[in-house]
Amino acid sequence: MQNRLIAHLVATAAFAAALATPGFADSTVANTADKVVDKVAATTEKAADKVAAGTEKAAASTKEAAAKAGQYLDDATVTAKVKAALVADKTVSALDVKVITNQGVVTLTGHVDRPEVGERALQLASTVEGVKGVKSELVVKTQ
């Protein structure tokens, strides 16, 4: 696309130079050249518009991808912090509780020995910075 734009600009410059030649402007060829120059200029303008639109679209896609990557990193950080809080607590067995974070909402899954342990896990998760909400899919083990 860029090569075509450059070619159009070169052609326009060549026609402009030809038109500046003495005696050329009075001929029928000059009228034809004027039409060609106008057409090349219009085509060049359209090409520039397409390049600008493509650039804007690429910028928007890049910005969206960066936002998604940032959210993924934020969720991974929240998951790690919640898991660390569970590991540090003596009541909850961090090995039995899985932590999933999606857009700041933490979901705890797995098995706990008693309902109080599940409540403690939820409490710990809710105090972690960056957590927007906590869901429990914990199951109490039956003896």
Side-chain angles (χ1 to χ4, degrees):
M1 179 66 103
Q2 214 171 20
N3 290 340
R4 290 184 66 196
L5 179 61
I6 292 169
H8 286 300
L9 292 174
V10 169
T12 302
F15 279 119
L19 289 175
T21 305
F24 186 79
D26 295 334
S27 69
T28 305
V29 174
N31 291 334
T32 303
D34 281 341
K35 290 177 186 176
V36 170
V37 167
D38 290 342
K39 187 173 181 178
V40 168
T43 303
T44 302
E45 187 174 325
K46 286 179 186 177
D49 290 343
K50 286 181 181 180
V51 167
T55 301
E56 288 174 12
K57 186 176 179 181
S61 294
T62 301
K63 189 174 183 178
E64 182 180 325
K68 286 180 182 178
Q71 182 62 55
Y72 177 78
L73 291 175
D74 290 345
D75 286 346
T77 300
V78 168
T79 297
K81 287 180 179 181
V82 170
K83 202 65 167 161
L86 296 176
V87 167
D89 189 81
K90 300 206 184 300
T91 309
V92 180
S93 173
L95 297 175
D96 294 334
V97 178
K98 182 176 179 184
V99 180
I100 302 168
T101 308
N102 187 7
Q103 296 183 354
V105 178
V106 173
T107 303
L108 301 178
T109 62
H111 294 88
V112 292
D113 292 330
R114 300 181 319 278
E116 300 83 26
V117 175
E119 290 171 16
R120 178 66 180 154
L122 290 171
Q123 179 187 26
L124 289 168
S126 67
T127 63
V128 170
E129 182 183 349
V131 173
K132 297 178 183 174
V134 181
K135 296 179 184 177
S136 176
E137 295 180 8
L138 295 170
V139 177
V140 178
K141 294 178 187 175
T142 55
Q143 307 305 351

